[in-house]
Amino acid sequence: MIFTRTAVVLVAAGIGVAATGNAQTGAPTKFTIQVENTSKGEALKLSNGGSAPFVSAPVLWVTGTGGTNPIFAGGRPDAGLGLEQLAETGNPGTLAKSLTGKKNIVQVGADARPVGGTAEGPLTPGQRYELEITARPGEMLSF
């Protein structure tokens, strides 16, 4: 999937985004990405018969030059860098710190404050995170 300036990512979508720009100059492109919880109402059915709204943990993102996703490798156990903590507690801090400075990684970021929110937290129905990144041609974005 290639985005030129603005990208909208629906919650629960895992994608890689290739940066575009002037390949001859290698000029960076600024991206504004919105991650929105588009669920409606009580979307999750609980084992006790009740229901609850779907919420999404904060977003962690990485840009890099490698050909693989540095956050997650399908079919492999967690590498112990903080992905399990993000999945279980919603805290992206440990994983962001673990990935910063690793080979082929250009930028690491996390967004935990919904647009218009006064505190960090998960996305509830109708809320969104918005982040800006800058990438050069050939860099990949992983969520």
Side-chain angles (χ1 to χ4, degrees), residues 31-36 56-62 86 90-93 96 108-117 119-123 128-133 143:
F31 295 88
T32 299
I33 300 173
Q34 295 178 359
V35 179
E36 182 176 2
S56 175
V59 175
L60 178 118
W61 56 269
V62 176
L86 173 58
N91 181 352
V108 176
D111 197 333
R113 184 171 297 192
V115 172
E120 294 183 345
L123 288 181
R128 66 184 158 88
Y129 297 126
E130 186 171 293
L131 54 118
E132 288 187 358
I133 64 161
F143 279 97

Side-chain angles (χ1 to χ4, degrees), residues 10-78:
L10 301 179
V11 167
I15 63 170
V17 180
T20 61
N22 186 333
Q24 293 177 353
T25 65
T29 300
K30 186 183 228 180
F31 295 88
T32 299
I33 300 173
Q34 295 178 359
V35 179
E36 182 176 2
N37 182 340
T38 61
S39 68
K40 306 279 188 229
E42 303 289 307
L44 302 176
K45 302 300 178 202
L46 305 177
S47 60
N48 66 6
S51 60
F54 172 81
V55 297
S56 175
V59 175
L60 178 118
W61 56 269
V62 176
T63 59
T65 57
T68 60
N69 183 335
I71 300 170
F72 175 79
R76 292 190 183 165
D78 177 40

Side-chain angles (χ1 to χ4, degrees), residues 69-111:
N69 183 335
I71 300 170
F72 175 79
R76 292 190 183 165
D78 177 40
L81 301 176
L83 180 61
E84 184 176 2
Q85 180 183 23
L86 173 58
E88 292 178 356
T89 69
N91 181 352
T94 300
L95 183 56
K97 186 175 180 180
S98 295
L99 294 171
T100 299
K102 288 207 174 275
K103 182 180 177 184
N104 297 328
I105 293 180
V106 178
Q107 298 175 77
V108 176
D111 197 333

